[in-house]
Amino acid sequence: MTNDTLNPQQKSAVEQINGPIMIIAGPGSGKTRVITERIAHLINSGIDPQNILALTFTNKAAKEMVERINNITNHKNTSSIWMGTFHSVFAKILRKEARLINYSPNFTIYDNDDSMKLIRRIIKDLNLDKDTYNAKYIFSRISFMKNSLVDFEKYKKNYELIEEDKKIRRPLFAEIYTKYCNLCYQANCFDFDDLLLKTYELFKNNPDILNQYQHTFQYILIDEYQDTNKAQDTIIKQIGQILQNVCVVGDDSQSIYSFRGANINNMLNFKSFYKNVLEFKLEQNYRSTQNIVNAANSLIANNKRKIDKKIFSKNEEGEKMQLFTYRNGREEGEEIASIIDNLITTQSIASHHAVLYRTNSQSKVIEDALRKRGINYKIFGGLSFYQRKEIKDVLAYLKLIINQSDNESLIRVINYPTRGIGNTTIDKIRHQAEIENKSIWSIINSNELQNMPVSSNGKNNIVSFVNVLNNLISKQNDNIFKIIEELIQTTGIIRRLEDDPTAENISRIENISELVNTMKIFSMKNKNNKLTNFINEISLDESKEAMKDKSYVSLMTIHQSKGLEFPYIYIVGLENGLFPSQQSIQQKTLLEEERRLLYVAITRGIKKVTLSNALNRFRFGKIHDCEKSDFIDEINPLFIKNNNHRKFKYTQKIHKPPTINAKKLIKIKESNYSNEYREDIKIGQKINHNIFGEGEIKNIDLSGGNQKINVIFDDYGEKLLLTKFAKFKIIP
């Protein structure tokens, strides 16, 4: 029997058995429960479990659903339900029907690493440039084509695709795609995307087999339908065409994965493909307060392409969403950490809090601030800042500047960015160094290199690397900010990433920018600002004991937060160009997805949601002015409280000293300030300025009849202040 605690809408969705059905499940509306109750109802109504196909996006979700279904079907045999991810269910079908598509049933499945290795080998065999034909880009494009049902034969015949490859200087992509597919076939292997493409081809080319599965899968249910791609949607249409007992569950307002091929139109156009669709809307949110739900509704109402629904909550009204505007990104991190610290001290635990951001690079200032307060945190879906590849690459160069005997750092970057020094060459030199009990550097930085069994091109490329590194070594006593600028310029790390502006490479550029910012601040704040001191601080910081306490603040991108919930949510970086992202601002469809992304972020909150933006941010050591996200103004002010106690104006460029009008200047000159000195200040003292925030006095100048101080501010660099005018407090 259906659980009597279901609300009327949930119960109706559960009990409708036949025909095409669309269940619009808003955030926190009990979607998983409805799915499990619906499948249990089908079984309890006499439908054989083996005639039910239920597709999810994770095996974990499928396993949990089977356990729940088993508990509410009087322990009937639920193991025969065809339940799992698209890939796992279709792999099962392909094993059974492999011979029809000229594969052996004992085929193996390549994971992403296997596919990447094969693609790298193909690129090498074709003597192609590894930067132009970046293996990750090639793999991503092959994946996208397969999920769009464009196999290599179709690709080669598509004039527009071939011309596009020529324009982006990858004219041999089609050849790589073809060779990759042929080698997979020869090895009797499928990659993950083949499991979709080959299932589609199996059904398309074998009508009898398709008919068999159309009658096997009498009842079809798909979770998170808004996240399906073209291949997944097409296969469902193939097998559901005759009986049309297709039930899709999802929320178009939470469609945020277009970069992975997800197509929101699959859900928006569901009614146009199937006839007489019954639609059920699960609109009651059981998770969040009324204010959070209402705020989210007012935001998403600005999207034009959507299914109409009105999400509501019967929970307590709750606090209004909080909006804070900070001077800069670093202050944002400090203040958010302070809020979390106070709440942990008074009324909550660390695991109740989650900080959500648009890009991974934003985690750095949050990490620093939490670490300073001794608050446990965990990065989800990514690495801690200093463990990210691009950061480790740059740090390897910096370590080599100090210690050329660091073989691991040298091996890491001798061919990064790629400069034609292959693994075979590196292995030969490494082996020789081991025989002679020397460092690799001592061999390549000497005449001994010329005696090595290495090609002349290889030697020339090594000499080029040695020259780059020797140039950097000669500057090791310079200001560390100058060193990092020189490193970026001479190695071409950023330039190579900019040449291939994929989403991943853009993220890497942002992360390197954040490292540059960190070094800039370190160089201003510390007396011992040599490279050695910086590396020591980083190394010690990263070698701290792992957190043993199970309670931690969660840090993650908004994409990684989908499906999760926390009592306290902090959404940082709400500025145009960051959120919404720069590339989405000019494209309506992308802008709507960015708005859906913020909707997802807000609806993760149970009790309280805090939004924040900054008036400027550091990027590659320079201050860039920011304007608040247009999304902020789209939220109904009835449900949001602006806590801008500093009364900043968004047009104010606060890193520039304020101007003084002529009348005020005359009054100042007429006043007898010339002999007024502050005796309570001294070099090394910390101050808090009303505009520039915290800083340290580096010099006091009494010349010219006025007292002037040079202050290094945490976020604005060095400023010269006239003490008789400056408004600041001394920090005890």
Side-chain angles (χ1 to χ4, degrees):
M1 294 294 292
T2 301
N3 195 314
D4 291 333
T5 60
L6 294 172
N7 69 36
Q9 292 75 26
Q10 292 173 330
K11 191 171 183 180
S12 296
V14 164
E15 294 181 344
Q16 178 62 40
I17 293 179
N18 296 312
I21 297 166
M22 182 159 65
I23 301 174
I24 312 300
S29 63
K31 179 195 67 170
T32 302
R33 186 177 175 201
V34 167
I35 292 172
T36 54
E37 292 278 359
R38 176 175 167 75
I39 296 173
H41 180 70
L42 290 174
I43 295 171
N44 288 336
S45 298
I47 293 166
D48 194 322
Q50 67 181 354
N51 293 134
I52 299 172
L53 171 65
L55 297 172
T56 65
F57 272 81
T58 67
N59 284 313
K60 182 175 180 242
K63 184 179 178 182
E64 289 174 354
M65 284 186 189
V66 168
E67 290 175 355
R68 289 193 195 184
I69 294 165
N70 196 49
N71 291 333
I72 54 179
T73 54
N74 302 320
H75 299 283
K76 291 181 181 178
N77 182 19
T78 56
S79 61
S80 59
I81 299 174
W82 288 71
M83 176 173 272
T85 64
F86 281 88
H87 295 89
S88 65
V89 170
F90 293 167
K92 184 177 177 181
I93 293 172
L94 288 172
R95 286 205 186 278
K96 187 177 178 183
E97 315 295 347
R99 298 197 187 283
L100 290 173
I101 54 173
N102 299 316
Y103 279 80
S104 168
N106 65 344
F107 62 78
T108 53
I109 300 173
Y110 281 162
D111 63 18
N112 290 351
D113 286 340
D114 295 327
S115 296
M116 287 288 293
K117 286 176 183 176
L118 179 55
I119 289 170
R120 288 192 183 101
R121 196 176 306 122
I122 293 169
I123 292 169
K124 182 179 180 182
D125 290 346
L126 294 175
N127 294 315
L128 300 175
D129 180 75
K130 289 191 291 186
D131 287 331
T132 302
Y133 290 90
N134 177 275
K136 285 189 176 180
Y137 168 85
I138 299 296
F139 176 57
S140 176
R141 187 161 174 80
I142 289 174
S143 175
F144 181 81
M145 288 302 152
K146 288 184 178 181
N147 287 318
S148 300
L149 302 180
V150 179
D151 61 21
F152 69 89
E153 294 287 358
K154 288 181 182 176
Y155 194 97
K156 289 190 293 185
K157 296 174 184 176
N158 190 307
Y159 174 79
E160 291 183 2
L161 291 174
I162 298 300
E163 286 301 304
E164 182 183 336
D165 288 337
K166 291 178 181 177
K167 287 180 182 178
I168 59 175
R169 295 180 296 137
R170 296 189 183 97
L172 295 180
F173 172 81
E175 185 173 347
I176 298 172
Y177 188 8
T178 301
K179 191 167 185 179
Y180 171 77
C181 292
N182 286 337
L183 288 173
C184 286
Y185 175 72
Q186 291 169 15
N188 194 39
C189 290
F190 290 133
D191 64 19
F192 285 135
D193 303 307
D194 282 328
L195 299 175
L196 301 180
L197 179 61
K198 297 300 180 182
T199 301
Y200 162 75
E201 291 176 350
L202 168 70
F203 291 152
K204 180 186 177 185
N205 299 325
N206 298 275
D208 292 344
I209 295 297
L210 173 59
N211 184 267
Q212 175 189 321
Y213 283 97
Q214 285 172 334
H215 287 87
T216 296
F217 301 138
Q218 296 176 17
Y219 294 88
I220 302 169
L221 186 144
I222 307 101
D223 188 18
E224 302 286 9
Y225 199 64
Q226 77 280 348
D227 293 336
T228 54
N229 58 37
K230 181 176 181 179
Q232 292 162 334
D233 180 59
T234 303
I235 295 168
I236 294 303
K237 286 175 178 174
Q238 284 177 312
I239 59 181
Q241 188 173 8
I242 293 179
L243 299 179
Q244 298 216 348
N245 292 325
V246 178
C247 175
V248 299
V249 186
D251 182 6
D252 58 299
S253 293
Q254 297 186 67
S255 178
I256 59 174
Y257 293 115
S258 65
F259 67 94
R260 291 197 320 213
N263 189 347
I264 190 175
N265 290 321
N266 294 345
M267 191 150 200
L268 295 178
N269 298 335
F270 184 78
K271 287 184 176 180
S272 64
F273 182 82
Y274 297 94
K275 296 178 181 179
N276 302 317
V277 174
L278 289 176
E279 183 179 271
F280 299 93
K281 295 180 180 179
L282 309 184
E283 297 173 302
Q284 183 172 353
N285 181 307
Y286 291 92
R287 173 191 300 150
S288 309
T289 63
Q290 293 179 34
N291 263 310
I292 291 175
V293 170
N294 290 336
N297 284 345
S298 67
L299 171 73
I300 204 63
N302 291 276
N303 271 11
K304 304 302 180 188
R305 298 172 69 248
K306 64 181 185 296
I307 297 169
D308 290 332
K309 52 189 170 295
K310 181 65 176 178
I311 308 302
F312 66 94
S313 171
K314 291 185 178 179
N315 295 338
E316 63 179 349
E317 183 178 358
E319 295 184 50
K320 290 185 178 182
M321 291 207 309
Q322 308 285 294
L323 171 64
F324 291 96
T325 296
Y326 298 109
R327 294 183 178 92
N328 49 64
R330 197 154 296 277
E331 183 182 72
E332 179 183 53
E334 288 289 339
E335 291 295 324
I336 294 297
S338 178
I339 293 170
I340 293 172
D341 196 10
N342 290 336
L343 285 171
I344 291 174
T345 303
T346 58
Q347 57 184 282
S348 69
I349 58 176
S351 60
H352 286 174
H353 302 263
V355 183
L356 309 182
Y357 34 79
R358 183 65 183 81
T359 64
N360 276 310
S361 63
Q362 293 171 258
S363 76
K364 172 63 170 56
V365 291
I366 308 293
E367 288 184 66
D368 288 346
L370 292 173
R371 190 185 294 120
K372 189 164 75 174
R373 288 168 173 78
I375 300 173
N376 296 352
Y377 67 88
K378 182 178 179 180
I379 302 281
F380 280 80
L383 297 168
S384 182
F385 184 79
Y386 291 107
Q387 292 301 313
R388 291 168 186 161
K389 178 191 179 299
E390 58 277 11
I391 301 303
K392 295 186 81 168
D393 290 336
V394 175
L395 290 178
Y397 272 109
L398 295 175
K399 290 174 182 178
L400 277 174
I401 294 172
I402 298 168
N403 174 22
Q404 294 83 55
S405 296
D406 184 347
N407 284 344
E408 291 306 310
S409 290
L410 189 144
I411 290 171
R412 183 178 186 94
V413 298
I414 191 171
N415 196 42
Y416 184 79
T418 52
R419 46 175 66 90
I421 304 172
N423 289 334
T424 302
T425 297
I426 296 170
D427 287 343
K428 287 178 181 178
I429 298 171
R430 181 174 54 80
H431 183 63
Q432 188 63 33
E434 289 174 358
I435 292 174
E436 298 184 26
N437 197 26
K438 292 181 178 179
S439 68
I440 296 174
W441 174 255
S442 66
I443 291 179
I444 65 175
N445 192 39
S446 69
N447 292 329
E448 193 171 348
L449 174 64
Q450 301 307 317
N451 300 323
M452 293 293 299
V454 176
S455 69
S456 57
N457 278 342
K459 290 176 183 176
N460 290 337
N461 292 333
I462 291 172
V463 169
S464 175
F465 169 74
V466 168
N467 290 339
V468 167
L469 196 56
N470 273 324
N471 172 59
L472 293 171
I473 292 168
S474 69
K475 302 179 186 301
Q476 65 179 292
N477 291 320
D478 288 357
N479 181 289
I480 61 170
F481 182 61
K482 291 182 179 179
I483 294 173
I484 190 66
E485 285 187 313
E486 181 75 13
L487 189 156
I488 288 172
Q489 178 63 33
T490 57
T491 63
I493 282 181
I494 295 294
R495 190 168 58 253
R496 294 288 185 90
L497 293 172
E498 288 175 337
D499 287 343
D500 184 25
T502 62
E504 182 181 31
N505 283 346
I506 291 171
S507 177
R508 286 178 171 172
I509 292 170
E510 290 170 346
N511 288 336
I512 294 173
S513 167
E514 186 56 39
L515 178 65
V516 173
N517 298 341
T518 300
M519 295 182 73
K520 173 92 170 185
I521 293 169
F522 184 90
S523 71
M524 294 189 303
K525 287 176 64 176
N526 294 274
K527 294 178 182 178
N528 298 321
N529 61 1
K530 300 301 181 187
L531 184 57
T532 306
N533 303 115
F534 177 76
I535 293 296
N536 285 345
E537 180 171 295
I538 296 303
S539 300
L540 289 171
D541 198 29
E542 286 302 298
S543 63
K544 287 180 180 177
E545 274 188 43
M547 300 295 188
K548 294 178 181 178
D549 190 342
K550 290 183 179 179
S551 183
Y552 48 73
V553 175
S554 298
L555 309 184
M556 66 189 80
T557 65
I558 300 168
H559 283 99
Q560 290 148 2
S561 74
K562 191 165 179 291
L564 304 177
E565 59 182 40
F566 299 88
Y568 300 93
I569 290 287
Y570 307 85
I571 307 168
V572 299
L574 278 162
E575 297 124 35
N576 287 334
L578 182 56
F579 195 7
S581 65
Q582 189 62 48
Q583 58 265 42
S584 71
I585 291 175
Q586 303 300 324
Q587 297 185 46
K588 184 178 178 180
T589 55
L590 290 179
L591 187 63
E592 289 210 346
E593 178 154 332
E594 289 284 296
R595 192 176 287 113
R596 293 195 295 268
L597 192 60
L598 181 54
Y599 176 82
V600 167
I602 291 172
T603 54
R604 299 311 93 198
I606 298 173
K607 194 172 181 180
K608 185 175 181 180
V609 174
T610 299
L611 312 176
S612 62
N613 68 297
L615 294 180
N616 61 66
R617 290 189 185 273
F618 255 157
R619 194 168 188 273
F620 286 108
K622 295 180 181 178
I623 296 170
H624 294 264
D625 293 316
C626 306
E627 60 177 17
K628 70 172 180 177
S629 172
D630 290 340
F631 291 158
I632 291 175
D633 290 332
E634 293 179 355
I635 300 172
N636 191 319
L638 289 174
F639 311 118
I640 187 169
K641 180 181 178 182
N642 191 329
N643 289 285
N644 184 12
H645 54 278
R646 299 175 182 82
K647 295 183 174 61
F648 290 142
K649 293 180 180 178
Y650 290 104
T651 56
Q652 184 182 3
K653 301 182 186 304
I654 64 170
H655 59 277
K656 292 183 179 179
T659 57
I660 303 172
N661 63 44
K663 289 182 179 180
K664 190 173 182 180
L665 191 59
I666 292 171
K667 287 183 179 180
I668 290 172
K669 287 182 178 179
E670 289 174 350
S671 301
N672 183 21
Y673 283 110
S674 58
N675 294 319
E676 290 188 10
Y677 298 139
R678 288 191 61 160
E679 298 179 356
D680 59 339
I681 59 174
K682 57 186 177 181
I683 293 174
Q685 202 165 43
K686 300 279 188 180
I687 69 167
N688 194 321
H689 190 268
N690 69 316
I691 292 177
F692 302 124
E694 291 189 12
E696 182 179 332
I697 299 173
K698 292 294 184 182
N699 185 50
I700 300 174
D701 183 1
L702 301 178
S703 63
N706 289 308
Q707 185 185 47
K708 299 177 284 291
I709 56 175
N710 289 78
V711 183
I712 303 294
F713 290 99
D714 292 358
D715 297 296
Y716 296 98
E718 186 170 357
K719 301 291 180 185
L720 179 65
L721 305 179
L722 207 58
T723 57
K724 61 188 177 185
F725 301 140
K727 295 180 180 180
F728 63 87
K729 295 179 181 178
I730 295 169
I731 299 175

